[in-house]
Amino acid sequence: MHKMRPLYRSLSLFFPRTRRRVAEPWCKCISNTSAFNAAAAPADLNRFVARTKTCGELRSANVGQEVTLCGWIQYQRQGQFVVLRDFQGLTQIIIPQDEAASHLKKVLCNTPVESVVRVTGTVVSRPPGQTNPRMPTGEIEVKAETVEVFNTCKKLPFEMKDFIKKNEALRMQYRYLDLRSAQLQHNLRLRSQMVMRMREYLCNCYGFVDVETPTLFKKTPGGAKEFVVPSHEPGKFYSLPQSPQQFKQLLMIGGLDRYFQVARCYRDEGSKPDRQPEFTQIDIEMSFVDQAGIRALIEGLLQYSWPEEKGSLETPFPSISYSEALATYGTDKPDTRFGMKIVDISDVFRNVEAGFLQKSLSEPEGTVKAICIPQGARHLQKKDLESLNELAKSQFNQAIFHFILRSDGSVKSQLSKYLNEEQKLELIRTVQANTEDLVLVAAGGHEKVCSALGKVRLVSADLLEERGVPLRDSSAFHFLWVTDFPLFLLKEENPNELESAHHPFTAPLPSDEHLLYTDPAKVCGQHYDLVLNGSEVGGGSIRIHNAKQQRFILESVLKEDSELLSHLLEALDSGAPPHGGIALGLDRLICLIVGAPSIRDVIAFPKSFKGRDLMSNAPDYVAPEELEPYHVQVMWPSAEAEASAN
Amino acid sequence: MHKMRPLYRSLSLFFPRTRRRVAEPWCKCISNTSAFNAAAAPADLNRFVARTKTCGELRSANVGQEVTLCGWIQYQRQGQFVVLRDFQGLTQIIIPQDEAASHLKKVLCNTPVESVVRVTGTVVSRPPGQTNPRMPTGEIEVKAETVEVFNTCKKLPFEMKDFIKKNEALRMQYRYLDLRSAQLQHNLRLRSQMVMRMREYLCNCYGFVDVETPTLFKKTPGGAKEFVVPSHEPGKFYSLPQSPQQFKQLLMIGGLDRYFQVARCYRDEGSKPDRQPEFTQIDIEMSFVDQAGIRALIEGLLQYSWPEEKGSLETPFPSISYSEALATYGTDKPDTRFGMKIVDISDVFRNVEAGFLQKSLSEPEGTVKAICIPQGARHLQKKDLESLNELAKSQFNQAIFHFILRSDGSVKSQLSKYLNEEQKLELIRTVQANTEDLVLVAAGGHEKVCSALGKVRLVSADLLEERGVPLRDSSAFHFLWVTDFPLFLLKEENPNELESAHHPFTAPLPSDEHLLYTDPAKVCGQHYDLVLNGSEVGGGSIRIHNAKQQRFILESVLKEDSELLSHLLEALDSGAPPHGGIALGLDRLICLIVGAPSIRDVIAFPKSFKGRDLMSNAPDYVAPEELEPYHVQVMWPSAEAEASAN
């Protein structure tokens, strides 16, 4: 369900000021703060256009001025007032009541709301007692002298004030109306500002070169989920790439040294919730860099571009290894805003005489683990426990047991009969449980147990917050680096084969290189993910810059056709510098910063779940003759096939 | 033919300085020059990486410092010197000749050129007489202490120094090697810098919002040349739009007020020379603006972002109407760097008794016009005249006559016999010819005559410059606005029907609005083109913001299905502000600024004439099963069809 959003009521006045903050003391470019900080003038919003002021800027100091405002009629009142709205705010227009102004009154009162007008008049103080302290322009009003109607709003599909109550599909169909909301305007403006500051940091402070790379490219080996674009050559297609990965590496081999791009990328995932078929990433690559260099760069980047009203960021960001993240949070993207960490309690159960527990402990990597939910016994009910059990069972095939620490100190559990008092006390001590806490326990293989408890941890947190127990500070931003991922994973469909955990260009950890040839599944890679509040907002790696190693991984480890990457392999043999990079998911990052429920709220014209543009009705049918030049034809599902499917 | 380019020899040291210049006195944001101008620090290029200095920055002041450089081995000399190259320049490394350094010497002398190494050493002054004033680092050298080889360059496809002699296809196949050239590095860095400054101007100075619009969209009505992208819904396709036109207008209706985007656009034109299937435009839209506002904005934008080394721009740019451009230069994109304007000489021939001339003059808009080529009689030969005639004949079906003003004052011409002395003198006076000038004359309908002479004017200029007569200053930048275009053109295939001269959203000139309903072919539109040195680098218009007018033009004038634009028509009825915008063709603009022979020289990874990526070999075949999810199949040209075609 979409959160309700205030529409117009509190028009945010967030607006571009050329504002920069000091990132780190070593940042030469911005250590000269006087150049950047002090004198930053606000943007001139009234140059080039038919207004002299925006609807958000008039104050008492402007009283007596003749002004021209352009905007939308927000509402009309008693034939005396009209409130005019633009992107920057609201201004009250007062209509003269004398006979000479009767035309003016007629126009201003009879033009429908949401019509666009230009009003010229004089700024006057509001009479005593009529100022509005909640309105930035609430000290003044503009006494209208002339009015011109630019565009009369015909009947809208619904009343604007009801708009937020409409479903999202309707809001997407009339996106141009939704865009008038204070919230969407704020989101898009914040996004634009933040990207601008990122560019200043990369381009001006550190000499990165903004290079545009092609989006009509060639299918990546193993790259499923790529849209195809038919060409004029029969049977040949371009692909819309998921990232500029190959190009950025080739730019380093071409000696560009420092590349970035706010890159449009494409991924055809059908109808996954909260994914878009096209998305934007801050794409970065550097030569002669290591992991620490990339991390410091990105920490500085975020610090420099972070919106002032969201507080400041502390650097360096904490870091955790993949295996520790799994063991502690049951996931590779831990939400570190709250505790409830996973605790190993195998030792407590080592001597417990319960067959199924001993069986679990004797499995490969067998373990017993727990999370302790503070006050869980008080706030979670039986049906909550059941749904958590069901979740672990259905998603992970994992049983969950619970221990409730009653207020009288006694312990209630399905496992009580197997544990003596000392063991119970040891359990409580190990998980640091207090009275009325709820302890959830799982036994089995390490990865499965951790994953299940990790999921249960997040869902429990949601439940607690629903019950009014504050756990996660919604204004807190917890960045976290996750490192030391395995370089390869066992293929799900064939566990005898390996596939890249991220992509085949990631370099192994130097200390693991020898394992490539003996036990590649054990190799960790120089990959790093950036996580914010439990969501992955970026990822990157130090790349392989050695053709021989790259070829070995492609051919011998991954069993892929290296011919498809022959240009890259040749390039790696032509003077390739060590290099590495990262990509930040811009849509997700902005979404988390503004606290929007969906990335659709930070994109001007998003697509629906099913990849449709509900406003223009794309994708759409195309005449067969328009497909001829591309040598493709539509394969209509035959009536038979359809019938049998139904 | 591709011009020869210096490779490495004069590594340009163009590099980002956070430099801004004052655009116009009224520009509040930048009138505070101290904030922007003075203290702009250079970018820090050595932070985050394994070097302490670039190869371009060491000077005498650094003597005695211990430095670490990373780069490519440019060349080796006499076992004593190695020159190291990176993106910023060249530094000479001196190899110690003592026994203790024998390993160092071996590595530095035996590693192939174009290998990538890291060298640590001490900066020393070059011995007297050995400094190199043509090299920015020519006062010093670095005495090597340690060396590490990062990547050994295997045999290259050709010697790097021969690279520029190779054909463009080979250079595109090994683009990562071509990117190491000083020229391409310079072009890409200048492009990045200029776009950055444009962003500062738009975003920071004038509060524009950078909004990313979708590229997976719906086919535009009448929009041929759009790539299609099959979707998962049978028979339904996205289109890759040629511009964000609809979105930018919807953003204005959504109240965004000022939008810009460095927008990727797509155009499927098959194999047109010097066009790319994907290209970039600086896309701008504003509310409550008129033509003058957009022009002032763009003049300020170019002035603010103009590369310092290219001189300064004077504003406002001159302006010319479409009809005057046609009459004076025979084209809607005049190259105003030189004269040779078209002159109307109808009056000279009004009474000349030559049937074919009188016939031409009695045609609708019949006219006789001329251009005068200074010193043309001296520099152009008979075969040049023949080829000019042939050009006019084949491209415009237009005969060209010539008059040569001999040094003895006599006139030589095929038309001599028809003219008396007084008429000859009047001709010479009218076209202001001097001795040895060549006057080219055409008679017939106005548009055809002007177009032919316009083309002949440009080709003559090329011929004169080939013969060493300077005409166009290659360092001059002549911007020109062309305005008052007709709103509609007669369809070539059916002159009873009208089509949009630019696009159906352009507003008519207010003074012509009444003609819409009576004589639409006579209506001029509020469209404006920006021309630089005879190339169109931008175009835009004030848009229709009235649904009724938009619907009338679509349905009654253009006879198009307005249903396809129902969302836009509905939006225009929901409170649409007056708005207008422009798009600048970034590739062409940068190409003209750096003086590159082709836009391929300002794009990192361009496609060939035929739309191929010669490096990766895109587009490429796709397995049939990969097309299945998209419900399309390839229509192979059957053997029969092929046979009959051959």
Side-chain angles (χ1 to χ4, degrees):
Chain A
M1 188 53 207
H2 204 280
K3 274 189 206 163
M4 290 295 173
R5 304 181 307 173
L7 197 78
Y8 310 136
R9 224 160 287 159
S10 65
L11 248 201
S12 157
L13 296 181
F14 175 88
F15 205 79
R17 303 199 123 240
T18 314
R19 171 188 58 75
R20 286 99 167 165
R21 278 163 300 118
V22 176
E24 299 186 33
W26 43 256
C27 177
K28 261 208 274 179
C29 161
I30 45 175
S31 65
N32 189 331
T33 51
S34 68
F36 278 107
N37 264 338
D44 181 347
L45 304 171
N46 301 316
R47 174 75 194 161
F48 309 116
V49 287
R51 63 174 171 253
T52 61
K53 296 285 176 185
T54 68
C55 295
E57 66 182 298
L58 293 175
R59 301 288 183 273
S60 285
N62 303 101
V63 165
Q65 289 178 1
E66 173 96 0
V67 296
T68 302
L69 306 179
C70 294
W72 284 255
I73 295 179
Q74 172 87 353
Y75 55 79
Q76 294 140 322
R77 206 166 53 198
Q78 303 157 346
Q80 293 191 306
F81 302 105
V82 161
V83 171
L84 210 60
R85 183 194 77 236
D86 69 8
F87 64 100
Q88 224 204 7
L90 302 170
T91 297
Q92 180 161 291
I93 310 293
I94 179 164
I95 308 172
Q97 300 296 312
D98 52 311
E99 189 56 38
S102 63
H103 170 70
L104 192 68
K105 181 172 178 176
K106 200 173 142 196
V107 171
L108 278 171
C109 295
N110 295 345
T111 303
V113 291
E114 292 302 314
S115 295
V116 183
V117 300
R118 170 164 60 184
V119 173
T120 300
T122 308
V123 184
V124 295
S125 288
R126 292 201 190 183
Q130 291 188 29
T131 61
N132 182 348
R134 286 171 309 161
M135 197 174 170
T137 63
E139 294 169 350
I140 58 89
E141 54 200 0
V142 172
K143 193 171 172 192
E145 281 149 27
T146 67
V147 61
E148 181 182 355
V149 179
F150 284 134
N151 186 283
T152 304
C153 182
K154 298 284 183 313
K155 199 170 161 21
L156 294 174
F158 30 74
E159 293 243 358
M160 287 298 282
K161 64 179 163 35
D162 293 335
F163 198 31
I164 47 163
K165 300 177 198 157
K166 301 292 168 184
N167 65 45
E168 199 185 5
L170 202 64
R171 289 174 44 228
M172 283 170 70
Q173 186 184 344
Y174 294 97
R175 191 64 169 180
Y176 47 89
L177 298 179
D178 207 15
L179 283 170
R180 293 182 192 164
S181 73
Q183 192 59 56
L184 264 185
Q185 290 254 337
H186 174 268
N187 293 355
L188 293 178
R189 284 171 195 277
L190 181 139
R191 178 178 178 135
S192 169
Q193 285 299 299
M194 190 161 172
V195 170
M196 186 65 203
R197 291 198 285 272
M198 287 182 176
R199 291 177 177 279
E200 289 168 0
Y201 176 88
L202 291 167
C203 214
N204 295 346
C205 297
Y206 293 110
F208 280 73
V209 188
D210 180 5
V211 180
E212 300 160 69
T213 58
T215 56
L216 293 172
F217 193 47
K218 177 182 167 139
K219 198 149 188 77
T220 316
K225 301 177 182 173
E226 287 181 355
F227 286 103
V228 294
V229 182
S231 77
H232 287 269
E233 296 184 68
K236 290 195 176 178
F237 293 78
Y238 299 105
S239 281
L240 298 177
Q242 290 188 50
S243 91
Q245 183 63 34
Q246 289 185 48
F247 292 114
K248 64 202 262 193
Q249 293 195 237
L250 290 163
L251 286 171
M252 294 306 102
I253 297 166
L256 260 282
D257 199 65
R258 298 176 167 209
Y259 145 91
F260 86 103
Q261 183 182 194
V262 181
R264 188 70 57 90
C265 303
Y266 299 85
R267 189 167 43 203
D268 180 16
E269 295 194 297
S271 47
K272 274 206 181 175
D274 222 23
R275 289 282 180 99
Q276 289 282 314
E278 49 188 316
F279 58 97
T280 304
Q281 65 188 35
I282 308 290
D283 199 52
I284 289 172
E285 196 80 9
M286 291 177 89
S287 294
F288 309 111
V289 76
D290 59 10
Q291 278 202 55
I294 296 282
R295 280 201 232 167
L297 173 82
I298 295 302
E299 287 160 358
L301 174 76
L302 287 166
Q303 206 170 38
Y304 183 86
S305 61
W306 200 248
E308 203 163 26
E309 67 271 29
K310 298 293 175 186
S312 61
L313 292 183
E314 271 192 33
T315 58
F317 300 153
S319 171
I320 192 174
S321 73
Y322 167 76
S323 58
E324 194 189 338
L326 182 67
T328 314
Y329 298 98
T331 174
D332 59 357
K333 32 183 188 286
D335 187 343
T336 53
R337 285 175 299 173
F338 68 108
M340 289 170 47
K341 294 179 187 179
I342 299 169
V343 181
D344 193 316
I345 51 171
S346 303
D347 286 347
V348 178
F349 288 89
R350 194 77 64 197
N351 303 312
V352 169
E353 287 180 7
F356 66 95
L357 285 173
Q358 294 312 320
K359 184 161 168 277
S360 293
L361 279 168
S362 66
E363 277 181 30
E365 302 204 300
T367 183
V368 185
K369 299 202 186 268
I371 59 171
C372 174
I373 303 174
Q375 300 297 288
R378 197 140 65 113
H379 298 289
L380 301 186
Q381 289 139 25
K382 193 163 172 241
K383 72 171 173 48
D384 296 326
L385 282 176
E386 282 165 6
S387 77
L388 290 172
N389 284 342
E390 178 51 35
L391 174 80
K393 197 77 199 164
S394 62
Q395 286 190 26
F396 302 93
N397 191 27
Q398 177 66 54
I400 301 278
F401 308 98
H402 62 265
F403 287 79
I404 290 171
L405 190 54
R406 291 203 185 99
S407 45
D408 63 2
S410 68
V411 169
K412 182 189 165 196
S413 172
Q414 313 109 302
L415 299 184
S416 276
K417 59 181 171 187
Y418 301 112
L419 277 75
N420 60 33
E421 282 312 304
E422 198 183 323
Q423 286 166 327
K424 285 180 191 166
L425 281 175
E426 198 190 339
L427 172 64
I428 289 167
R429 230 179 2 253
T430 311
V431 302
Q432 299 183 325
N434 293 312
T435 42
E436 304 223 57
D437 285 1
L438 170 70
V439 180
L440 299 177
V441 173
H446 176 76
E447 192 173 329
K448 193 171 71 141
V449 161
C450 292
S451 302
L453 286 176
K455 180 75 188 180
V456 163
R457 171 179 177 265
L458 291 176
V459 174
S460 306
D462 289 343
L463 288 171
L464 286 180
E465 288 183 344
E466 277 173 29
R467 310 285 146 79
V469 183
L471 261 186
R472 293 168 290 202
D473 178 356
S474 68
S475 69
F477 295 96
H478 284 227
F479 281 99
L480 177 72
W481 291 106
V482 184
T483 63
D484 299 336
F485 285 83
L487 192 54
F488 308 107
L489 300 173
L490 305 177
K491 278 190 187 172
E492 264 184 45
E493 66 277 18
N494 181 357
N496 291 323
E497 289 181 12
L498 293 175
E499 62 185 359
S500 296
H502 294 94
H503 60 55
F505 313 114
T506 304
L509 280 183
S511 54
D512 286 2
E513 270 182 40
H514 64 283
L515 289 170
L516 264 185
Y517 309 94
T518 53
D519 195 353
K522 289 236 172 76
V523 176
C524 278
Q526 297 195 57
H527 178 95
Y528 30 84
D529 268 354
L530 181 61
V531 172
L532 169 57
N533 294 352
S535 288
E536 184 193 328
V537 293
S541 61
I542 303 302
R543 328 296 183 185
I544 297 165
H545 69 281
N546 175 307
K548 204 173 143 195
Q549 190 178 71
Q550 183 69 73
R551 192 182 297 277
F552 179 81
I553 286 178
L554 284 170
E555 293 175 356
S556 303
V557 181
L558 299 171
K559 321 282 185 204
E560 276 183 21
D561 179 8
S562 68
E563 191 51 41
L564 288 167
L565 286 170
S566 58
H567 54 284
L568 185 66
L569 290 167
E570 235 179 314
L572 289 175
D573 256 343
S574 311
H579 60 289
I582 193 166
L584 303 181
L586 184 63
D587 306 301
R588 173 70 51 211
L589 180 64
I590 302 289
C591 183
L592 291 168
I593 291 172
V594 301
S598 156
I599 59 166
R600 292 184 296 281
D601 294 306
V602 298
I603 295 172
F605 299 99
K607 301 256 189 322
S608 74
F609 289 137
K610 298 202 164 168
R612 291 211 191 101
D613 179 318
L614 300 180
M615 186 182 59
S616 74
N617 200 27
D620 203 356
Y621 295 108
V622 165
E625 60 269 24
E626 295 185 278
L627 297 178
E628 263 172 35
Y630 301 113
H631 310 280
V632 294
Q633 62 183 0
V634 177
M635 286 179 73
W636 297 100
S638 70
E640 286 81 1
E642 274 191 314
S644 73
N646 290 334
Chain B
M1 188 53 205
H2 205 281
K3 275 189 202 162
M4 291 296 176
R5 304 182 304 174
L7 198 79
Y8 308 138
R9 222 161 287 159
S10 65
L11 246 201
S12 156
L13 295 182
F14 176 88
F15 205 79
R17 302 199 123 240
T18 313
R19 171 186 59 72
R20 286 99 167 165
R21 282 164 296 118
V22 176
E24 300 185 32
W26 42 256
C27 177
K28 262 209 275 180
C29 160
I30 46 177
S31 66
N32 190 331
T33 51
S34 67
F36 278 108
N37 264 337
D44 182 347
L45 304 171
N46 301 314
R47 172 77 195 161
F48 310 116
V49 287
R51 63 175 171 253
T52 62
K53 297 283 178 188
T54 68
C55 295
E57 67 182 299
L58 292 174
R59 301 286 184 275
S60 286
N62 302 101
V63 165
Q65 289 177 3
E66 173 96 359
V67 296
T68 302
L69 305 180
C70 294
W72 284 255
I73 295 179
Q74 171 87 353
Y75 55 80
Q76 294 139 321
R77 205 165 54 196
Q78 304 157 344
Q80 292 191 307
F81 302 104
V82 161
V83 171
L84 210 59
R85 183 194 75 238
D86 69 9
F87 64 101
Q88 226 205 2
L90 302 169
T91 296
Q92 180 161 289
I93 310 293
I94 179 163
I95 307 171
Q97 299 296 315
D98 52 309
E99 189 56 37
S102 64
H103 169 71
L104 194 67
K105 180 172 180 175
K106 201 173 141 197
V107 171
L108 278 172
C109 296
N110 295 344
T111 303
V113 291
E114 293 302 313
S115 296
V116 183
V117 299
R118 171 163 59 184
V119 173
T120 299
T122 306
V123 184
V124 296
S125 287
R126 293 201 190 182
Q130 291 187 29
T131 60
N132 182 349
R134 286 172 309 161
M135 196 173 171
T137 63
E139 294 169 350
I140 59 88
E141 54 200 2
V142 172
K143 193 171 174 190
E145 280 148 28
T146 68
V147 63
E148 180 182 355
V149 178
F150 284 134
N151 184 284
T152 304
C153 183
K154 298 287 184 311
K155 198 170 160 21
L156 294 174
F158 32 73
E159 293 244 357
M160 286 298 281
K161 65 178 161 39
D162 294 334
F163 198 31
I164 46 161
K165 300 176 199 160
K166 301 292 169 184
N167 65 45
E168 198 186 2
L170 201 65
R171 288 174 44 226
M172 282 170 69
Q173 186 183 345
Y174 295 97
R175 190 66 170 180
Y176 47 91
L177 298 179
D178 206 15
L179 283 170
R180 293 181 192 166
S181 73
Q183 192 60 56
L184 263 186
Q185 290 255 339
H186 174 268
N187 293 355
L188 293 179
R189 284 172 195 278
L190 180 138
R191 178 180 178 133
S192 169
Q193 284 299 300
M194 190 161 171
V195 170
M196 186 64 200
R197 290 198 286 272
M198 286 183 177
R199 291 177 178 280
E200 289 167 1
Y201 176 88
L202 292 168
C203 216
N204 294 348
C205 298
Y206 293 109
F208 280 74
V209 188
D210 180 4
V211 180
E212 299 161 68
T213 59
T215 57
L216 293 172
F217 192 46
K218 177 182 167 137
K219 197 150 190 76
T220 315
K225 301 176 180 172
E226 287 182 357
F227 287 103
V228 294
V229 182
S231 77
H232 287 269
E233 296 184 69
K236 290 196 176 180
F237 294 78
Y238 299 105
S239 280
L240 299 176
Q242 291 189 46
S243 92
Q245 183 63 35
Q246 289 185 46
F247 292 114
K248 64 202 263 193
Q249 293 194 236
L250 290 164
L251 286 171
M252 294 305 102
I253 297 167
L256 259 282
D257 199 64
R258 300 177 165 207
Y259 144 91
F260 87 103
Q261 183 181 194
V262 181
R264 187 71 57 90
C265 302
Y266 300 84
R267 189 167 43 203
D268 180 16
E269 296 195 295
S271 47
K272 274 206 181 176
D274 220 22
R275 288 283 181 95
Q276 290 282 314
E278 50 188 317
F279 59 97
T280 303
Q281 65 189 33
I282 308 291
D283 198 52
I284 290 173
E285 196 81 8
M286 291 178 89
S287 295
F288 309 110
V289 75
D290 60 9
Q291 279 203 53
I294 296 283
R295 280 201 230 164
L297 173 83
I298 295 304
E299 288 161 359
L301 173 77
L302 287 165
Q303 207 171 38
Y304 184 87
S305 62
W306 200 249
E308 204 161 26
E309 68 271 30
K310 298 292 176 185
S312 61
L313 292 184
E314 271 192 33
T315 58
F317 300 154
S319 171
I320 192 173
S321 72
Y322 168 75
S323 57
E324 193 188 340
L326 181 67
T328 314
Y329 299 98
T331 173
D332 59 359
K333 31 181 190 284
D335 187 343
T336 52
R337 286 174 299 173
F338 68 109
M340 289 169 47
K341 293 179 186 177
I342 299 171
V343 180
D344 192 316
I345 52 169
S346 302
D347 285 345
V348 178
F349 289 87
R350 193 78 63 195
N351 301 312
V352 169
E353 288 179 7
F356 68 96
L357 286 173
Q358 293 314 318
K359 186 162 168 277
S360 294
L361 279 169
S362 65
E363 277 181 29
E365 303 203 301
T367 184
V368 185
K369 299 201 185 271
I371 59 171
C372 173
I373 303 174
Q375 300 295 289
R378 196 142 65 115
H379 297 290
L380 301 187
Q381 289 138 23
K382 194 163 171 240
K383 71 169 172 51
D384 297 325
L385 281 176
E386 282 165 7
S387 76
L388 291 173
N389 284 341
E390 178 53 33
L391 174 80
K393 196 79 202 164
S394 63
Q395 287 191 25
F396 302 93
N397 190 29
Q398 176 66 53
I400 301 277
F401 307 97
H402 63 263
F403 287 79
I404 291 170
L405 189 55
R406 291 204 185 97
S407 46
D408 63 5
S410 67
V411 169
K412 184 189 163 193
S413 171
Q414 313 111 300
L415 299 184
S416 274
K417 58 181 169 184
Y418 301 112
L419 278 74
N420 59 34
E421 281 312 304
E422 197 185 326
Q423 287 167 329
K424 285 181 191 165
L425 283 174
E426 198 192 334
L427 171 64
I428 290 167
R429 233 183 356 255
T430 310
V431 302
Q432 301 184 323
N434 295 311
T435 42
E436 303 222 57
D437 283 2
L438 171 69
V439 179
L440 298 177
V441 172
H446 176 77
E447 191 174 331
K448 193 171 73 143
V449 161
C450 292
S451 302
L453 286 176
K455 180 74 189 180
V456 163
R457 171 179 178 264
L458 291 176
V459 175
S460 306
D462 290 343
L463 288 170
L464 286 180
E465 288 182 344
E466 276 173 29
R467 310 288 146 76
V469 183
L471 262 185
R472 292 169 290 201
D473 177 356
S474 69
S475 70
F477 295 95
H478 284 228
F479 281 99
L480 176 71
W481 291 106
V482 183
T483 63
D484 299 337
F485 285 84
L487 192 54
F488 307 107
L489 300 174
L490 305 177
K491 276 191 188 170
E492 265 184 45
E493 65 276 21
N494 180 358
N496 291 321
E497 288 180 11
L498 294 174
E499 63 186 0
S500 296
H502 294 96
H503 59 53
F505 314 113
T506 304
L509 282 185
S511 54
D512 286 2
E513 270 183 39
H514 64 285
L515 289 171
L516 265 184
Y517 309 95
T518 54
D519 195 354
K522 288 234 173 77
V523 176
C524 278
Q526 298 196 55
H527 178 95
Y528 30 83
D529 268 355
L530 182 61
V531 171
L532 170 56
N533 294 352
S535 289
E536 184 193 326
V537 293
S541 61
I542 302 303
R543 327 297 183 185
I544 297 166
H545 69 281
N546 174 308
K548 205 173 142 196
Q549 189 177 72
Q550 183 70 74
R551 192 182 295 276
F552 179 81
I553 286 177
L554 285 170
E555 293 175 358
S556 303
V557 181
L558 299 171
K559 320 284 185 203
E560 277 183 20
D561 179 7
S562 68
E563 192 50 41
L564 288 167
L565 286 170
S566 58
H567 54 285
L568 185 65
L569 289 167
E570 235 179 316
L572 289 177
D573 256 344
S574 312
H579 60 289
I582 194 167
L584 303 180
L586 184 64
D587 306 301
R588 172 70 52 211
L589 180 64
I590 302 289
C591 183
L592 290 168
I593 292 172
V594 301
S598 156
I599 58 167
R600 291 185 297 281
D601 294 308
V602 298
I603 296 172
F605 298 99
K607 303 260 189 320
S608 74
F609 289 137
K610 298 201 165 169
R612 290 211 191 100
D613 180 317
L614 300 178
M615 184 182 63
S616 72
N617 200 26
D620 204 356
Y621 295 108
V622 165
E625 60 269 24
E626 294 185 279
L627 297 178
E628 264 172 34
Y630 300 112
H631 310 281
V632 293
Q633 64 182 0
V634 176
M635 286 180 72
W636 296 101
S638 71
E640 286 82 1
E642 273 190 314
S644 73
N646 291 334

